[in-house]
Amino acid sequence: METLSVWRGTAAPTGYAALSGDVTADVLIIGGGITGVTLADLLAEQKSASKPRVVLLEAGEIGCGTTGNSTGNLYETVSGDGLRGIASKWGDDVARQVANERRTAVNFVEERCRQLPDVGFRRCALVEWADAANNDAIREEFRALEAAGCAVELGGGIPSPLPPQEGEVLVLRNQAQFQPQAYVVAMARRAADAGAVIHEHSRVIELDTKAKRAVTATGSVTAKEIVMATHSPKGIHLVHTEMPVHREYAIAFEWTPDAPPGPGVFWWKATDHLSIRTLQAGNRHFLICAGQEHKVGIHNATAGLMALEQQARRFFGERPITHRWSAQNYRGADALPYIGRNHSGCFIATGFATDGLTWGTVAARLIAAELLGHAAAFAELVRPNRLSLVKGAKTILEENVTVVKQLVKDYLTSRQDEKLSDLKPGDSAIVDAAGETFAAYRAPDGELFAVSSVCTHVGCKVHWNSVETSWDCPCHGSRFRPDGTVIEGPALAPLRRKHAPPLGGGGSGSAPA
C-alpha cells in the first residue's frame, strides 16, 4: 500500500546534498525533523564571533519522519491523559509549567511563521468532547487546564458531521495549526542561509559518543557536541526501557470549502479516539482524521488503518481517500519528555507522545539555550537522567514485561509451515530454511528479499507491517525496509541481508499483517 501524508504530498521538495568526506563541527545535529531543524536555525542565527559551526545530518529528506507525518496541530495541553495526567503525577505547579512552556513554544512557531512563506499557520480553538463512557474525563481535564491558567471553558455545541456530543464540550482557546512539512522545509532553508550545513540522505550508521564522531556511508562528522534529534536516540539508552512505542494512523480526503467543522483541533475522546482537522493547500481542501493507536510490531496494521477509514466514513460519508499515512510515538514513563544531555554525553530529545510538534520546539529551545551557555529552569524538570520511580513505575514495568514477553514468544513459539516458493508477490513470512531464519518478502515485481529476522538493536524478532511494507520491532520501535535498511528507531545497523536458499527449500513461517 502506498502511504504518503497530505503534508508531504502538498509541500515543496528539498534538495540538500549527501555528506561527502570527513568534516568537523561545533555541533552535530542528527535528524531533520522539527527538533533538529529548529535547533539548527536557533544556533545558526547567532551573531556573535563565537557562532557555532552547525552540521545537520538527515537519513532521508527533511521532515520525512514524524514531523511530516503528524497532524499539524499545536497546543499548550497534551494529548492522551491530558494535562490532568501530568497534574495527577506531578501536581498543579508542574502542570502549569508544562502549559506555559508549551504555550511559549507555540508563540515561537507563530513568530517564525510570520517570516516564512506559505506555511499555513492559523490560530484556532481546541475542542474536546467524549462519548458517554468517557465524559468524566472532560470535566477533569477542564479543572486541570483551569488550574494551569489556560483560557478554557465548558459549553457550546459540536457541529455536524462531527461525532455527536454526549456530555460536556471543552473549548481551549488560542491554540494553532500549520503545515508542518512546509514549516520544516522553510526553516531548514532559513538555517542554511544563516550558515548551517545540511545534508540529506546521510544516515548515521556508526556513532562513537565518546569520540563525538558519526559515520555515514559517504563520510563522517566529528563535533564538540552531538544532538540526537532522532525521535528516539540512536544506540542503547536507558530511556528505551521506559518508553512505550506506538503508531497512529491518519487519512485525508477532499472536503468542501467552508463546510463544517472549519478551523480547529477537534478531539473526540471516545473509546476509539479520533483527531479531526481541515486543511487548505492551494485550491484544494481536505479533511484529516487520525486515530487507531497501537503498539508497534504487535498489532495488525492493515486492520488498524481499515478501522480508521470505517470510522471516518461513519461520520463523513463515502469519499475517496487521497492520502494515508502513520507516525510513531514514544511516551515518557512519567508523562514528561526526556530532553537534554544524558549518560552518553550527547543531547537527546524523546518521549514526546503524540505531541511532538510542540515538544520538539520546546526541546530545540532548551538545548539551544544550554549549548549557548544559558540556564533554563524547565530543563531540570525534563532532564533525561531523572528517575521518577513512583511517577513512572507502572509504565516502566509494563514496557519491560512487554519486551520480555515478546522475546519469549518470538523465540519459543512454533510457526506455521511456509515455503519460500509459496510466497506470492506482496506476501511476507518469517521462514526457517536451510538451517537459517529469514524475514522474507516478495515484492510485487517478484523480487525476493530475505534478511535476518533479528533486530540489530537488542535482538528482538521483527514483525511484518503490511501497510508500510516494513519489518517492525515490537521491543523499542526500530523499523526496517524489506532489504533491511533502517527506517527509524534506535537501531543503527541494518538487518543483515541473506542469500535465500533455492525456491523449493522448505521451512516454517508466519507473517502478521
Side-chain angles (χ1 to χ4, degrees):
M1 182 181 297
E2 181 179 354
T3 56
L4 177 69
S5 75
V6 69
W7 316 115
R8 299 193 67 214
T10 58
T14 54
Y16 298 98
L19 176 67
S20 178
D22 303 320
V23 301
T24 60
D26 294 312
V27 180
L28 167 62
I29 301 169
I30 305 174
I34 195 168
T35 304
V37 168
T38 303
L39 177 59
D41 175 66
L42 287 167
L43 296 177
E45 73 175 359
Q46 299 303 307
K47 303 300 183 184
S48 66
S50 58
K51 173 180 175 176
R53 173 173 165 77
V54 178
V55 174
L56 185 151
L57 300 179
E58 165 54 43
E61 298 173 350
I62 295 296
C64 70
T66 304
T67 297
N69 291 289
S70 63
T71 59
N73 294 323
L74 301 160
Y75 40 85
E76 60 200 50
T77 184
V78 294
S79 59
D81 291 334
L83 210 62
R84 70 189 185 281
I86 293 175
S88 68
K89 290 179 182 291
W90 292 90
D92 289 345
D93 182 60
V94 169
R96 178 183 290 271
Q97 291 181 57
V98 166
N100 287 342
E101 196 71 25
R102 288 176 57 84
R103 185 183 306 118
T104 300
V106 175
N107 292 341
F108 170 87
V109 172
E110 181 178 28
E111 181 271 329
R112 281 294 193 268
C113 287
R114 293 195 186 104
Q115 306 170 41
L116 303 172
D118 302 322
V119 293
F121 184 92
R122 65 187 183 192
R123 286 287 180 173
C124 61
L126 185 154
V127 182
E128 190 172 337
W129 72 107
D131 56 10
N134 297 278
N135 194 53
D136 288 347
I138 299 297
R139 185 165 286 278
E140 292 171 10
E141 180 67 1
F142 169 76
R143 287 194 289 265
L145 289 165
E146 191 176 46
C150 300
V152 64
E153 60 193 60
L154 287 176
I158 298 300
S160 178
L162 291 172
Q165 67 187 89
E166 299 182 33
E168 304 278 12
V169 177
L170 180 154
V171 180
L172 182 59
R173 300 294 182 187
N174 207 32
Q175 306 310 292
Q177 296 173 323
F178 67 159
Q179 215 285 27
Q181 180 68 19
Y183 177 77
V184 292
V185 167
M187 283 283 279
R189 174 48 53 198
R190 174 187 158 95
D193 289 346
V197 178
I198 298 176
H199 295 290
E200 294 180 312
H201 305 290
S202 300
R203 178 177 298 282
V204 172
I205 56 177
E206 296 178 23
L207 183 62
D208 186 335
T209 57
K210 291 184 179 179
K212 296 290 195 295
R213 182 171 182 265
V215 178
T216 74
T218 55
S220 69
V221 181
T222 303
K224 296 176 183 177
E225 299 282 3
I226 294 179
V227 179
M228 285 186 267
T230 49
H231 202 39
S232 177
K234 293 295 184 179
I236 306 296
H237 299 265
L238 180 62
V239 293
H240 292 141
T241 67
E242 303 179 21
M243 297 189 299
V245 191
H246 294 82
R247 289 194 78 77
E248 187 173 35
Y249 297 90
I251 57 174
F253 40 87
E254 300 279 0
W255 196 244
T256 306
D258 301 322
V265 181
F266 299 97
W267 285 353
W268 185 45
K269 304 303 282 284
T271 303
D272 282 332
H273 168 74
L274 196 61
S275 174
I276 304 158
R277 65 159 290 183
T278 59
L279 167 70
Q280 180 178 352
N283 295 323
R284 301 180 71 187
H285 297 260
F286 299 92
L287 187 79
I288 299 164
C289 296
Q292 293 296 318
E293 187 177 38
H294 300 286
K295 284 279 292 181
V296 171
I298 296 176
H299 71 291
N300 184 317
T302 300
L305 184 57
M306 289 178 64
L308 175 63
E309 293 181 11
Q310 182 178 9
Q311 192 178 26
R313 290 190 183 99
R314 172 185 167 194
F315 298 111
F316 305 111
E318 293 286 344
R319 294 171 180 263
I321 295 173
T322 59
H323 300 80
R324 295 176 173 87
W325 69 99
S326 68
Q328 198 143 298
N329 69 78
Y330 302 78
R331 296 182 179 276
D334 56 12
L336 293 179
Y338 305 96
I339 302 169
R341 195 188 302 275
N342 76 347
H343 69 278
S344 71
C346 300
F347 288 85
I348 68 170
T350 189
F352 297 162
T354 54
D355 309 309
L357 295 174
T358 306
W359 275 134
T361 304
V362 169
R365 289 165 54 83
L366 292 178
I367 294 171
E370 185 167 346
L371 288 171
L372 296 171
H374 310 305
F378 191 76
E380 180 63 22
L381 189 62
V382 294
R383 62 185 176 85
N385 293 343
R386 72 182 188 272
L387 187 60
S388 308
L389 288 178
V390 174
K391 299 179 179 68
K394 183 174 182 289
T395 300
I396 294 171
L397 177 61
E398 288 176 348
E399 181 58 16
N400 285 279
V401 166
T402 297
V403 171
V404 172
K405 285 174 65 177
Q406 205 59 49
L407 278 166
V408 171
K409 175 185 175 184
D410 286 342
Y411 276 94
L412 298 184
T413 302
S414 60
R415 304 179 184 280
Q416 299 173 352
D417 288 337
E418 187 79 45
K419 294 181 179 180
L420 285 173
S421 58
D422 292 338
L423 288 182
K424 297 179 176 60
D427 284 354
S428 63
I430 303 295
V431 178
D432 294 325
E436 290 195 83
T437 301
F438 300 87
Y441 167 71
R442 191 176 297 284
D445 64 4
E447 183 178 2
L448 179 65
F449 294 90
V451 296
S452 169
S453 62
V454 179
C455 177
T456 57
H457 183 228
V458 295
C460 296
K461 292 289 187 75
V462 296
H463 292 206
W464 183 247
N465 176 341
S466 60
V467 169
E468 291 161 301
T469 318
S470 62
W471 292 106
D472 299 355
C473 179
C475 292
H476 302 111
S478 293
R479 299 179 57 241
F480 307 85
R481 294 186 177 88
D483 66 359
T485 306
V486 178
I487 300 174
E488 67 177 313
L492 283 163
L495 298 178
R496 184 168 57 88
R497 190 80 181 261
K498 295 193 174 187
H499 295 293
L503 290 182
S508 59
S510 63

